[in-house]
Each structure stands twice: as structure tokens, then as C-alpha cells.
Amino acid sequence: MAIWRIYFSSNGEELEQAKKDTLELLKIIEEHRAGETKFFIGDEFGIVDIAFGAIGYWLEVVEDVVGVKLYDARKFPKLTALINNFKEEPVIKENLPDKNDLLTYFRGSREKRLASAS
């Protein structure tokens, strides 16, 4: 998935392509699926929401760790509504990992990976 390629990218060209691919993915979701219903498939929370909604949460972490900004709520209003609905679903809200813990883990992990690649 393009979002994770951003995290694993170590050089400018590879990172730029991953950013481009991620933005294209977000654009497709915005244009073709997001915003028509409360959740991905309808008004009931389902497995697709779990698979996709997590992407919205992880994208924030990846952006912070890598130091890039891709997601702009103003450019993706339908997608933003879908992600917010996911995050507000009680079972998700109660079980999302702490963002600061994720940032600490993934920063350290990425630094080790990049150091071993050079």
C-alpha cells in the first residue's frame, strides 16, 4: 500500500513516488466512494470500515514520523467525514492505540531501518 511505502522510503525519488501514489489513492476514494453514506458500505459499521478506517488513523502517524503532509481535510471532505465517523464509533474509539505511543514506536523503528539501509 502506498501509505506504507512512504514510511519505508529512504530516498527522495522513492518518497516522492509514494506520496504521489498515496494522494492518487485518496483522490479515488474521495471521488468514488466516500461521503455517500455514514460508513463505507452504508449506515452500519462493517469490516470494510475497519480495513479502511484504520488507514486514516495510521496516515496521521506516518505523516508525523516521516515529516510529510499529504492529507488535507479541505481537499478530501467526504473522506474526512468517513474517517471521523470511523474514529467516533464506540468500539473503535475505545480501542485505538495511543497516538503518542505509536509515534514513539514508529519513529524509532524507522530510524533503525534507515540506519541499516545506509
Side-chain angles (χ1 to χ4, degrees), residues 23-115:
L23 286 171
E24 184 62 28
L25 170 71
L26 296 175
K27 181 179 173 188
I28 289 168
I29 294 167
E30 174 75 17
E31 291 175 355
H32 297 286
R33 187 61 220 132
E36 296 176 19
T37 55
K38 182 176 180 182
F39 294 107
F40 219 89
I41 302 295
D43 291 325
E44 299 288 325
F45 183 72
I47 191 73
V48 176
D49 301 292
I50 293 170
F52 174 76
I55 292 171
Y57 190 71
W58 288 102
L59 181 57
E60 293 174 18
V61 172
V62 170
E63 286 180 326
D64 285 351
V65 168
V66 177
V68 299
K69 182 66 179 156
L70 294 172
Y71 186 76
D72 181 347
R74 293 170 297 173
K75 289 175 79 173
F76 302 105
K78 295 177 188 177
L79 183 56
T80 299
L82 196 66
I83 291 168
N84 289 340
N85 289 339
F86 169 79
K87 289 180 184 178
E88 291 303 315
E89 185 66 19
V91 69
I92 298 301
K93 192 174 188 174
E94 294 166 9
N95 291 290
L96 280 174
D98 180 73
K99 187 174 177 183
N100 289 327
D101 291 346
L102 289 175
L103 288 169
T104 299
Y105 173 79
F106 282 105
R107 278 188 183 120
S109 176
R110 185 165 195 270
E111 288 172 11
K112 288 178 189 173
R113 184 196 178 285
L114 293 177

